[in-house]
C-alpha cells in the first residue's frame, strides 16, 4: 500500500506542477504561443509522466504490490478524467494535431509547432520519471530503477497484429473525438476517459493501446525486443491510418486535401428552380458546396436563388 501512496503522490505532484506551468505561461506568453506551444508542452509532460508511472503499477504492481486489474483500470479512468479537465484544450497527441490539420482547422505552422511541443514535453516527462525512480521512494520504484536499463516492450504480439490493434483503437478514439467535439465537457471528458479505459482493458495485453505516437515513442521505443522500424509501423503507422479512416468516415472526405464528398450523397431539401437563376447565385451555391455538413449549403443557395429570381421579375 505504501507503493500505491507514493504513486498517487507522484500523480498529484505531476498534475499540480503542470497546472502551475500552464497558468504561468498563460500569463506570460501571447495567446498564440500559449495555445500552439506552451500548453502542449505541459499537457504532453503530464500525460507521459503519468503514463510512465502507470506502466510501473501495471507491470510490477500485480506481483510486488498485489494490485488487481480493477484498481489499475480505475486509476486509468481517473487519470484521464483529470487530464481532460486540466489540459485546457491541448491534445498532447500528434494524431489529434494532424487530425485538426486534415480537417482544415489548424495551419501547417501551428501543427508543426504542436508536434515539436509534444515531443519536448514527452522527453521532459521521461527525464522527470527516471529521476523520481532513482530516489527509490517505494519498493516499486526500487524495482523499476533496477529494471530501467532493461525495460520490457509494450508490444507483446506480432507486428501486423499490433498494427491492426493500434489502428482499430485509434479509429474508434478519433471517431468518438469527432462525434463529441461540440459536446459539453461534462459529457465529453467522462466518455473519452471511459473509452480509453475500455481500450486499455481490451488491447492493453497486446500493445498497451497507446493511440498516441509520441507517447509510444517515449515509453517503449527504447525497449529491446523489436526494431525501431517495427515500433514505428505499429505505433505510428497504425494510429495515423486509423485517424485518417475516422476522418474519412465522419466527414466523407479529407477537407484539407479535397472537398468532394466520397462516401455520402446528401439530397437537398429544396428544389432547384428550373428557370434562370439570378446573377451571383451560382457562385454562392459553388461556395456552399463541400464535404460533410457543408453540402447542406446547396439547398439554402438554391432557395436563395429562387427567391432572388422571383424578386427580379
Amino acid at each position: 500500500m505504501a507503493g500505491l501512496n507514493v504513486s498517487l503522490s507522484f500523480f498529484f505532484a505531476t498534475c499540480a506542477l503542470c497546472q502551475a506551468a500552464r497558468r504561468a505561461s498563460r500569463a506570460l506568453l501571447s495567446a498564440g504561443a500559449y495555445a500552439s506551444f506552451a500548453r502542449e508542452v505541459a499537457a504532453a509532460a503530464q500525460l507521459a509522466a503519468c503514463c510512465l508511472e502507470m506502466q510501473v503499477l501495471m507491470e510490477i504492481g500485480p506481483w510486488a504490490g498485489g494490485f488487481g486489474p480493477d484498481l489499475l483500470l480505475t486509476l486509468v479512468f481517473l487519470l484521464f478524467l483529470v487530464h481532460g479537465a486540466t489540459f485546457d484544450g491541448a491534445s498532447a497527441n500528434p494524431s489529434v494535431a494532424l487530425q485538426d490539420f486534415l480537417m482544415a482547422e489548424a495551419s501547417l505552422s501551428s501543427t508543426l509547432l504542436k508536434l515539436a511541443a509534444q515531443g519536448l514535453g514527452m522527453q521532459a516527462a521521461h527525464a522527470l520519471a527516471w529521476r523520481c525512480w532513482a530516489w527509490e521512494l517505494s519498493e516499486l520504484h526500487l524495482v523499476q530503477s533496477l529494471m530501467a536499463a532493461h525495460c520490457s516492450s509494450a508490444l507483446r504480439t506480432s507486428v501486423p497484429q499490433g498494427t491492426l490493434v493500434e489502428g482499430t483503437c485509434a479509429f474508434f478514439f478519433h471517431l468518438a473525438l469527432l462525434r463529441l467535439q461540440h459536446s459539453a465537457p461534462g459529457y465529453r471528458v467522462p466518455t473519452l476517459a471511459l473509452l480509453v479505459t475500455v481500450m486499455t482493458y481490451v488491447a492493453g495485453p497486446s500493445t498497451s493501446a497507446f493511440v498516441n505516437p509520441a507517447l509510444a515513442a517515449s515509453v517503449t521505443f527504447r525497449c529491446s525486443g523489436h526494431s525501431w522500424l517495427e515500433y514505428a509501423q505499429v505505433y505510428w503507422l497504425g494510429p495515423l491510418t486509423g485517424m485518417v479512416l475516422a476522418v474519412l468516415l465522419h466527414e466523407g472526405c479529407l477537407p484539407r486535401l479535397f472537398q468532394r464528398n466520397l462516401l455520402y450523397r446528401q439530397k437537398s431539401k429544396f428544389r432547384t428552380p428550373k428557370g434562370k437563376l439570378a446573377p451571383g447565385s451560382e457562385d454562392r451555391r459553388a461556395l456552399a458546396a463541400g464535404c460533410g455538413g457543408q453540402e447542406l449549403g446547396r439547398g439554402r443557395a438554391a432557395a436563395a436563388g429562387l427567391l432572388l429570381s422571383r424578386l427580379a421579375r
Side-chain angles (χ1 to χ4, degrees):
M1 188 58 68
L4 179 61
N5 292 333
V6 170
S7 295
L8 292 177
S9 300
F10 178 87
F11 293 143
F12 178 80
T14 299
C15 294
L17 179 63
C18 292
Q19 185 66 12
R22 272 187 287 267
R23 293 197 175 190
S25 58
R26 189 189 300 115
L28 297 175
L29 301 177
S30 64
Y34 171 73
S36 298
F37 187 79
R39 72 177 181 183
E40 289 291 339
V41 172
Q46 178 177 326
L47 176 64
C50 291
C51 182
L52 286 167
E53 184 66 18
M54 198 66 216
Q55 286 288 107
V56 174
L57 293 178
M58 287 187 169
E59 293 180 359
I60 305 175
W63 57 269
F67 304 147
D70 52 347
L71 173 63
L72 298 176
L73 291 174
T74 301
L75 285 177
V76 170
F77 177 74
L78 294 177
L79 281 175
F80 275 91
L81 275 182
V82 174
H83 294 335
T86 60
F87 272 9
D88 195 22
S91 63
N93 190 334
S95 295
V96 178
L98 292 174
Q99 172 189 295
D100 292 339
F101 177 73
L102 288 180
M103 294 284 292
E105 296 176 355
S107 63
L108 178 60
S109 59
S110 175
T111 302
L112 293 177
L113 192 59
K114 287 181 180 180
L115 296 179
Q118 290 163 3
L120 178 62
M122 298 286 176
Q123 293 301 317
H126 198 272
L128 173 64
W130 276 46
R131 176 59 60 89
C132 182
W133 296 338
W135 292 340
E136 300 178 358
L137 299 177
S138 69
E139 66 277 6
L140 298 180
H141 286 181
L142 173 61
V143 176
Q144 178 63 25
S145 181
L146 296 174
M147 297 173 54
H150 306 283
C151 60
S152 58
S153 173
L155 180 58
R156 293 176 287 270
T157 184
S158 64
V159 172
Q161 185 175 355
T163 305
L164 179 61
V165 169
E166 284 290 312
T168 303
C169 290
F171 172 78
F172 286 110
F173 175 77
H174 285 276
L175 192 60
L177 199 63
L178 289 167
R179 293 286 296 176
L180 299 172
Q181 60 183 340
H182 300 301
S183 302
Y187 173 73
R188 181 179 66 253
V189 172
T191 303
L192 292 176
L194 180 60
L195 177 61
V196 171
T197 306
V198 172
M199 290 192 302
T200 302
Y201 174 74
V202 174
S206 56
T207 65
S208 292
F210 287 114
V211 197
N212 188 325
L215 182 61
S218 176
V219 173
T220 198
F221 274 37
R222 296 179 174 89
C223 301
S224 59
H226 296 275
S227 67
W228 188 91
L229 187 60
E230 291 174 332
Y231 281 131
Q233 179 179 338
V234 174
Y235 293 109
W236 288 0
L237 181 61
L240 292 178
T241 303
M243 179 270 293
V244 171
L245 292 177
V247 173
L248 190 61
L249 179 63
H250 185 267
E251 295 294 320
C253 71
L254 300 177
R256 174 67 65 176
L257 303 180
F258 46 84
Q259 292 292 316
R260 182 182 177 185
N261 197 316
L262 302 178
L263 300 181
Y264 310 115
R265 177 176 295 179
Q266 298 183 359
K267 296 182 179 180
S268 172
K269 296 181 180 180
F270 304 93
R271 287 188 176 182
T272 304
K274 296 182 180 179
K276 185 177 180 180
L277 296 178
S281 61
E282 286 290 339
D283 295 336
R284 286 191 297 272
R285 185 170 63 183
L287 289 174
C291 68
Q294 295 177 346
E295 286 194 354
L296 297 176
R298 293 181 177 178
R300 297 176 181 176
L306 177 59
L307 179 61
L308 290 175
S309 63
R310 289 181 177 178
L311 292 175
R313 294 176 186 176

